[in-house]
Amino acid sequence: MDQKLLEELKKIIGGDVVTDESTLVEYSHDASLFEVKPQVIVFPKDEEDIKALVRFVNKNKTEYPELSLTPRAAGTDMSGGAINESIIIAFGKYFNHTPKINGNIATTEPGVFYRDFELKTLEKNIIFPSYPASKGLCAMGGIFNNNSGGEKSLQYGKTERYIRRMKMVLSDGKIYEFKKLNKEELDKKMAQKNFEGKIYRKMHRLINENYEAIMRAKPDVTKNSAGYFLWNIYDKENETFDLTQLFTGAQGTLGLFLEGDLELVPIKEHRGMLIVYLKSNAYLGRIIDEVLPLNPESFESYDDNTLMLALKYFPEFAKQLGPLGMISAGLAFLPAFISFFTGKRLPKLVLQIDFASDNPDEIDEKLRTLREKIKPYHPFVQTAEGGEEKKYWLVRRESFNLLRKKIRNKHTAPFIDDFVIKPEHIAEVLPKVTDILKKHPEFMYTVAGHVGDGNFHIIPLVDIKNPEVRKAIPEISDEVYKIISKYKGSITGEHNDGIIRTPYLEEMYGPKIVKLFEETKKIFDPENIFNPGKKVHGNLKYAMDHLRTNW
Ligand SMILES: Cc1cc2nc3c(=O)[nH]c(=O)nc-3n(C[C@H](O)[C@H](O)[C@H](O)COP(=O)(O)OP(=O)(O)OC[C@H]3O[C@@H](n4cnc5c(N)ncnc54)[C@H](O)[C@@H]3O)c2cc1C
């Protein structure tokens, strides 16, 4: 950054302004396969710093058009959402005050790690049920702004369902609070003569004038993080208008999130799990049809490659369970070990079906019913109750992390990592997608996912320096996202658009809806100061030019 500009920035910020090379390199990455070097990292101390940053960019934007602000919490974004070229606002250092819990509402700041947030909620025996698998690594800013979801989203839905209030700094450099408004409150807001009034008037008009098209565009799947969620704002029947639904999942492209309220749910006392090993995917569709009506809390899956990896690195996996847990996990996976070491085929797919209730009899009944119902498909089945489920969860949750850490010379490349289709299409779509990958032997991959939601995480392992790999990434993406759009799915259920998927939003939603996304961005951020290149005006060439060159 220009020295004069940097000096000006340092003068107005109470927190830290950092430009040393190692910090810049650290913040050039998130958990995506991209690398974009910023000019400055600002660790804001308080709300005054955030307002000052927006004023600073507005004031200097004409002379320095490349200036922008990209918020970041823990930096575990897999889409490239948390990296950019200009100023990164790192919320983790100071915006991490202990969350407050009042009844079933938690108030939190963006820099609070989810793991610390959960410790607080568990004290009251309540939980935020849309935590992601990265629960040990990520922070609340990313959860709100990616609309994160996870293993319990099948029953509880995603973050969007739990947000009750968001405090934001908008592009005029002022702080506003957003929550669901009734008609009278909305009319009052729209009558205001300030920036907030203008936003409400313009968004109300945009949604009203395009209501049918917007409602039709809502993806017909249970989970979605793609685009701006225009269909969630205006509830015509109940006459409510809620702009928190627009900021949710917007990846910091419409404003900077300072504080928010989340509704929490009670934890169910008892749980029981059925683990189903399938030799092929042939009966998957029918098994899904039997499972979903029993309303499991989660319904997860992983493939033979994931299982192989877990067996190969078993001691590291299992040490998280302690010595006794290690032995019982060893016994639980014994059949798989025997197949593995005797060269027999491992099960093609492992399904984990988890039931939760305050009534233990209900769980027993569901486990029994499900065993009976799936008997005709001859799977091998195990039951886990009373805490035994942990070892199975470990394989499911840790598989991506293991891939990231363990395989030498190869790295995880999330680019078709999070698509969603209706569960009835899984048996048809999944082989089509894996067939595309099979044409590229340089891509090793595992498939794990939230099968009950039709949400799959396919994360290839690649040598990113290999030119064949770099060439194939957009080719595979094009093919896969065409299929997903044809089946009216979503290109991302949880991980969001970022650098990698913004260019595919038009394929998914069509030009009219993308135009509405662009108008929305313009209403909130007319000078494009917030996280440019994400959600609107994505560019596949830019993405490919910023693939990591090493790890
Ligand atoms: C091993 C692993 C497993 C994962 N599993 C899941 C999963 O199961 N489900 C899931 O949903 N995701 C998953 N993810 C992706 C990621 O962890 C989540 O999306 C997480 O919620 C991001 O949180 P973060 O604090 O790291 O956010 P960051 O990466 O820091 O940011 C995420 C986005 O939010 C924006 N943002 C951050 N703070 C603010 C703010 N204050 N104001 C405005 N915008 C802001 C950023 O600009 C960025 O676009 C996984 C990632 C990894 C590495």
Side-chain angles (χ1 to χ4, degrees):
M1 178 181 275
D2 182 293
Q3 200 53 36
K4 185 178 112 225
L5 208 56
L6 186 61
E7 290 311 317
E8 184 185 335
L9 184 61
K10 284 183 177 164
K11 267 195 213 128
I12 59 163
I13 296 298
D16 316 334
V17 177
V18 181
T19 55
D20 70 88
E21 184 62 15
S22 73
T23 310
L24 294 184
V25 169
E26 185 189 337
Y27 283 82
S28 306
H29 307 124
D30 47 17
S32 71
L33 74 167
F34 299 106
E35 184 165 54
V36 180
K37 196 166 174 192
Q39 295 190 336
V40 188
I41 315 299
V42 175
F43 298 86
K45 195 146 224 166
D46 52 27
E47 295 179 355
E48 289 311 309
D49 274 0
I50 308 281
K51 292 195 286 184
L53 272 167
V54 176
R55 282 197 303 269
F56 167 81
V57 172
N58 282 336
K59 174 173 162 249
N60 292 295
K61 185 82 178 164
T62 315
E63 198 180 338
Y64 300 92
E66 72 284 359
L67 271 182
S68 68
L69 298 167
T70 293
R72 175 171 173 126
T76 66
D77 191 292
M78 290 168 71
S79 69
I83 52 180
N84 223 320
E85 293 184 1
S86 182
I87 302 171
I88 301 291
I89 311 180
F91 281 90
K93 188 165 181 186
Y94 298 111
F95 279 75
N96 58 4
H97 294 97
T98 308
K100 291 189 196 84
I101 313 236
N102 193 351
N104 63 345
I105 300 290
T107 301
T108 183
E109 291 181 338
V112 175
F113 276 111
Y114 177 77
R115 55 179 188 256
D116 298 330
F117 178 83
E118 193 183 80
L119 280 179
K120 279 293 190 214
T121 71
L122 291 184
E123 282 172 10
K124 311 257 178 188
N125 217 23
I126 46 182
I127 193 163
F128 168 63
S130 186
Y131 58 80
S134 51
K135 64 190 267 192
L137 310 169
C138 73
M140 301 310 292
I143 287 182
F144 274 76
N145 291 284
N146 267 350
N147 190 23
S148 292
E151 62 208 27
K152 290 195 202 301
S153 293
L154 177 63
Q155 189 166 97
Y156 290 96
K158 294 218 310 163
T159 301
E160 61 201 349
R161 199 193 279 183
Y162 298 93
I163 292 181
R164 295 290 165 263
R165 180 183 67 96
M166 284 175 84
K167 188 181 193 185
M168 306 287 301
V169 170
L170 297 187
S171 59
D172 64 344
K174 296 196 176 126
I175 296 180
Y176 301 96
E177 296 227 343
F178 293 89
K179 63 181 180 67
K180 189 189 271 183
L181 304 180
N182 62 28
K183 177 154 184 352
E184 203 180 313
E185 289 166 328
L186 173 65
D187 287 344
K188 261 196 203 151
K189 288 279 184 202
M190 289 203 293
Q192 284 175 198
K193 296 275 176 276
N194 60 1
F195 186 53
E196 189 187 24
K198 193 159 127 190
I199 277 175
Y200 273 104
R201 282 192 300 280
K202 288 193 166 184
M203 281 312 298
H204 187 259
R205 187 181 321 134
L206 181 143
I207 294 174
N208 237 343
E209 287 176 354
N210 301 283
Y211 191 75
E212 300 303 325
I214 287 174
M215 296 320 278
R216 263 199 316 276
K218 182 178 177 173
D220 188 15
V221 284
T222 54
K223 294 164 98 176
N224 176 46
S225 277
Y228 292 130
F229 316 146
L230 295 174
W231 37 86
N232 284 348
I233 299 169
Y234 187 20
D235 178 346
K236 268 198 174 177
E237 207 178 305
N238 295 306
E239 295 198 89
T240 60
F241 198 87
D242 186 356
L243 283 179
T244 64
Q245 291 296 315
L246 184 58
F247 297 122
T248 309
Q251 294 203 296
T253 57
L254 302 177
L256 304 169
F257 166 61
L258 300 181
E259 186 188 87
D261 290 348
L262 280 177
E263 190 175 325
L264 308 174
V265 302
I267 294 171
K268 295 200 173 131
E269 232 175 285
H270 302 278
R271 43 198 345 108
M273 181 191 276
L274 210 66
I275 303 99
V276 179
Y277 298 84
L278 298 180
K279 283 198 204 111
S280 81
N281 291 343
Y283 297 121
L284 182 60
R286 285 193 226 166
I287 293 178
I288 292 172
D289 287 345
E290 301 291 4
V291 174
L292 289 181
L294 293 170
N295 197 19
E297 191 177 60
S298 60
F299 180 8
E300 305 277 303
S301 68
Y302 48 87
D303 69 345
D304 44 353
N305 289 341
T306 311
L307 189 58
M308 198 165 70
L309 202 76
L311 297 175
K312 208 163 159 192
Y313 297 105
F314 189 76
E316 282 176 60
F317 247 112
K319 82 173 172 221
Q320 298 184 40
L321 295 166
L324 277 180
M326 224 166 142
I327 294 167
S328 82
L331 290 173
F333 287 107
L334 200 58
F337 269 122
I338 293 171
S339 308
F340 185 56
F341 286 112
T342 54
K344 283 199 212 130
R345 272 182 58 197
L346 285 172
K348 184 81 200 120
L349 204 65
V350 182
L351 305 177
Q352 262 183 213
I353 304 141
D354 199 23
F355 295 104
S357 170
D358 291 328
N359 174 1
D361 297 339
E362 192 191 338
I363 292 177
D364 287 345
E365 178 57 29
K366 285 188 175 180
L367 290 173
R368 225 183 354 260
T369 309
L370 187 56
R371 268 179 178 272
E372 279 308 310
K373 292 211 169 218
I374 60 176
K375 242 186 199 157
Y377 313 119
H378 312 295
F380 175 67
V381 176
Q382 286 174 308
T383 313
E385 281 179 279
E388 273 189 341
E389 316 85 59
K390 274 191 199 140
K391 51 200 170 219
Y392 299 99
W393 273 118
L394 206 59
V395 179
R396 169 64 190 91
R397 285 193 190 126
E398 282 295 307
S399 55
F400 174 52
N401 236 352
L402 245 197
L403 284 174
R404 291 174 79 209
K405 287 191 219 141
K406 277 288 148 211
I407 312 289
R408 287 250 244 57
N409 306 324
K410 292 209 186 261
H411 290 278
T412 47
F415 64 97
I416 47 162
D417 48 300
D418 191 30
F419 62 80
V420 195
I421 40 168
K422 283 181 108 167
E424 68 241 40
H425 298 316
I426 293 174
E428 214 173 308
V429 170
L430 205 51
K432 283 188 205 284
V433 172
T434 49
D435 280 352
I436 294 170
L437 278 166
K438 279 181 197 150
K439 288 189 282 181
H440 299 271
E442 61 282 12
F443 285 71
M444 267 172 76
Y445 64 91
T446 58
V447 183
H450 313 287
V451 65
D453 285 303
N455 180 200
F456 286 92
H457 300 319
I458 299 188
I459 312 207
L461 270 175
V462 298
D463 169 7
I464 197 72
K465 291 199 197 97
N466 180 346
E468 289 299 312
V469 166
R470 298 171 84 85
K471 189 169 147 281
I473 285 174
E475 290 169 6
I476 296 172
S477 306
D478 285 355
E479 282 191 75
V480 170
Y481 290 142
K482 267 201 180 77
I483 295 174
I484 301 307
S485 298
K486 189 176 143 209
Y487 281 84
K488 304 256 170 281
S490 167
I491 57 178
T492 172
E494 308 175 325
H495 300 168
N496 220 302
D497 301 316
I499 296 175
I500 187 67
R501 274 176 290 267
T502 298
Y504 291 99
L505 286 173
E506 188 156 333
E507 170 100 53
M508 176 175 162
Y509 286 114
K512 182 175 165 72
I513 296 299
V514 165
K515 186 111 202 315
L516 295 179
F517 292 164
E518 287 167 5
E519 281 176 37
T520 301
K521 169 79 173 174
K522 209 150 197 172
I523 290 169
F524 281 86
D525 183 17
E527 300 302 323
N528 199 18
I529 63 170
F530 294 133
N531 207 356
K534 323 288 167 61
K535 293 284 171 185
V536 294
H537 307 303
N539 179 330
L540 196 58
K541 176 162 185 333
Y542 178 91
M544 294 310 129
D545 288 348
H546 288 83
L547 285 177
R548 289 185 76 147
T549 45
N550 55 44
W551 246 278

